[in-house]
Amino acid sequence: MNRETGSAKGGIFCDHNAGGPADPEVLACFLEVERSCPGNPASVHAAGRRARHVLEDARARIAAAFGVAAVDVVFTSGGTEAANLAVTGLGDRENPVVLAPIEHPAVWEPAQLRGTETWGVRADGTTIVAEPASRAGLLCLMHAQSELGTLQPVAEAASLSHRLAVPLFVDAAQTLGRIALAPVVASGAIVALSPHKAGGLRGHGVLLGHGLRGLLRPLLRGGGQEHGLRPGTQSPALAAANALAIERALATTTERAERMTAARRAFLDALRGTDAEHRVLTPFANSVPNTVMLHFPRVDGRNLLPALDLSGVQASHGSACSSGAPTPPRVLFAIGLGESEARACVRFSVAASDREEVLREAGAIVGDVVARLQKKN
C-alpha cells in the first residue's frame, strides 16, 4: 500500500468524488460471482437460472436497504445512464424540466432536450427551490452539488413535488456512504446511485424509488430486461458486488462521515500552515463531509493541477465527466465567480479510508506548490 492508502497509485489521491478504489470484499464478491455464474440471466437453462437468482437477490437486497419494492430497482451501466433514464423517462414530456444550472451534466444536458425552467442559486451553492412559472413536467435536484459539496434542499423540493403532483428526481451520486439517504427515498423522490464512489465497482448504477416502475419510460429499446425499462444483458457479478457496497455504505455512513471530516480538517490545517493564499468556497455547515473547493488567487487551475500531480497530489477542477472541458464548472459562475476566479479553483475530495497524516502531507504539498506559483505572479 502506498502512502495514498487505498487510492490511485503514484501519489496522494484527492479526487474521490470522481470515483475511488473498490472495497476489497466487494471486489472479491464480484470475482466469485463472475467465476461461478457465467450464464446470461435471461437464459432459461440452469446456468441462466443461477445467474438470474444472483441478479434478483442483489435487487432484493438493495430494495430492502431502501424500503422500496424490488420491481422499483433498475440496474444501469452507471450513474450517468441512471440520470439520463430518469430525466428522459419521468413526468410529462410536454412540459419543462425545472432545475438549477448547478446540476451534473448527466442531468442538465438531457433536460435541455425537453426544455427547462431554471431555479436560482445562492452564493453558497444552494438551489432556491420555488414554484415554477408554468406547469412543470419534472423537478430535478441533486442531493449534494458535486463540485462545491453543498447539500441541497431536497425536503423543500419533495414538498413542492407532492403539491404539484410532478415527479422529483434526485441525483445522489455524491452522497452514498457520506450522508443519510433514507429520508430522500422516503420523500418519494426517484433516486440515482453511483456505487463506485462508495467502494463499489465502475460500470454499474442504480435507479430506484417508490412506484418507479409505473412512472418511468425506457430510454433504450431492444430487450425486455429490467422489466422492459433498461434493455441489455445484465451483470449478476456487478449487481451482487454493488449490492454489498451499498449495504456496507449505508451501515457505516456515520462512521465514514466522521473519518472524512477528520481527513478534510487535517488537509486544511496543513494548508493553512503554509504561505499559500486561498479561500474556502465549500459551506462546511451544509455540505458532504469529504469535499472542499478552494480558490487560489493569481493561479490558473489549468497550470496548478499538473503542478500538483507532478508533486504527488491528484485533484480536479470538478466533475470527471466534464473535467476535460475548457471552461470551469457551471456552479462557479452560478455562485458569482468571474472567469479568471473560476479558473483558479480546485476541488479536493477525500475518502473514509484516508489517514489524517496522509492528508496533512497533501495539504502541505498543495500549500507549497500554490505559494510557489503565486510568487511568480
Side-chain angles (χ1 to χ4, degrees):
M1 186 74 70
N2 290 343
R3 76 185 194 276
E4 71 278 0
T5 69
S7 304
K9 295 194 175 185
I12 304 175
F13 189 70
C14 297
D15 195 21
H16 285 273
N17 282 7
D23 181 318
E25 291 188 32
V26 169
L27 183 56
C29 173
F30 170 83
L31 293 172
E32 171 59 27
V33 174
E34 191 70 7
R35 292 189 187 107
S36 64
C37 231
N40 187 320
S43 300
V44 296
H45 48 58
R49 293 196 301 273
R50 283 198 303 275
R52 184 75 178 183
H53 173 76
V54 172
L55 180 75
E56 295 308 322
D57 177 69
R59 193 189 313 277
R61 287 162 55 196
I62 294 172
F66 287 101
V68 302
V71 295
D72 291 327
V73 174
V74 176
F75 294 132
T76 70
S77 65
T80 292
E81 186 192 341
N84 270 259
L85 179 57
V87 174
T88 303
L90 289 171
D92 183 353
R93 286 183 283 194
E94 297 300 314
N95 293 311
V97 178
V98 182
L99 75 175
I102 63 174
E103 293 289 326
H104 189 279
V107 175
W108 178 259
E109 293 184 17
Q112 303 310 303
L113 300 177
R114 288 182 57 168
T116 61
E117 180 178 329
T118 306
W119 279 322
V121 180
R122 296 185 179 89
D124 66 353
T126 305
T127 296
I128 303 171
V129 174
E131 192 93 15
S134 59
R135 174 69 181 171
L138 175 66
L139 308 181
C140 293
L141 183 67
M142 54 179 26
H143 193 194
Q145 209 288 321
S146 55
E147 283 93 14
L148 290 182
T150 310
L151 293 175
Q152 301 299 316
V154 172
E156 290 181 35
S159 177
L160 180 62
S161 166
H162 292 307
R163 191 163 68 253
L164 299 177
V166 173
L168 169 64
F169 168 62
V170 173
D171 172 8
Q174 296 296 347
T175 48
L176 178 64
R178 299 170 184 172
I179 297 291
L181 276 169
V184 178
V185 178
S187 74
I190 303 303
V191 178
L193 304 176
S194 190
H196 79 274
K197 299 177 192 292
L201 299 176
R202 291 181 291 270
H204 196 254
V206 179
L207 187 65
L208 60 86
H210 295 285
L212 173 62
R213 187 179 177 188
L215 296 172
L216 188 64
R217 292 176 293 270
L219 174 63
L220 305 176
R221 304 285 177 173
Q225 294 93 338
E226 298 300 303
H227 305 289
L229 294 175
R230 198 275 176 181
T233 302
Q234 302 121 314
S235 169
L238 282 172
N242 281 337
L244 177 59
I246 288 168
E247 289 172 331
R248 290 171 68 85
L250 294 179
T252 59
T253 296
T254 300
E255 302 154 44
R256 292 179 186 221
E258 290 173 352
R259 292 198 297 270
M260 287 185 279
T261 299
R264 181 174 67 178
R265 185 185 304 116
F267 171 83
L268 288 170
D269 285 346
L271 176 62
R272 292 186 187 106
T274 70
D275 293 330
E277 186 180 344
H278 66 279
R279 176 165 60 109
V280 176
L281 300 181
T282 298
F284 289 160
N286 183 46
S287 75
V288 282
N290 77 316
T291 303
V292 58
M293 176 68 86
L294 295 171
H295 171 242
F296 299 106
R298 304 188 311 285
V299 173
D300 190 323
R302 292 171 298 180
N303 299 326
L304 175 57
L305 288 174
L308 289 176
D309 197 10
L310 289 172
S311 298
V313 175
Q314 300 164 32
S316 68
H317 278 304
S319 170
C321 297
S322 58
S323 60
T327 57
R330 287 189 313 275
V331 65
L332 298 179
F333 300 118
I335 64 173
L337 271 65
E339 180 80 18
S340 62
E341 289 179 303
R343 290 192 183 281
C345 293
V346 177
R347 181 189 71 182
F348 300 87
S349 49
V350 305
S353 59
D354 286 333
R355 299 196 306 268
E356 290 180 46
E357 59 266 31
V358 174
L359 268 297
R360 277 193 287 273
E361 181 183 356
I365 292 171
V366 171
D368 290 343
V369 171
V370 169
R372 185 172 69 248
L373 291 174
Q374 288 174 332
K375 285 178 182 176
K376 292 181 180 180
N377 296 323

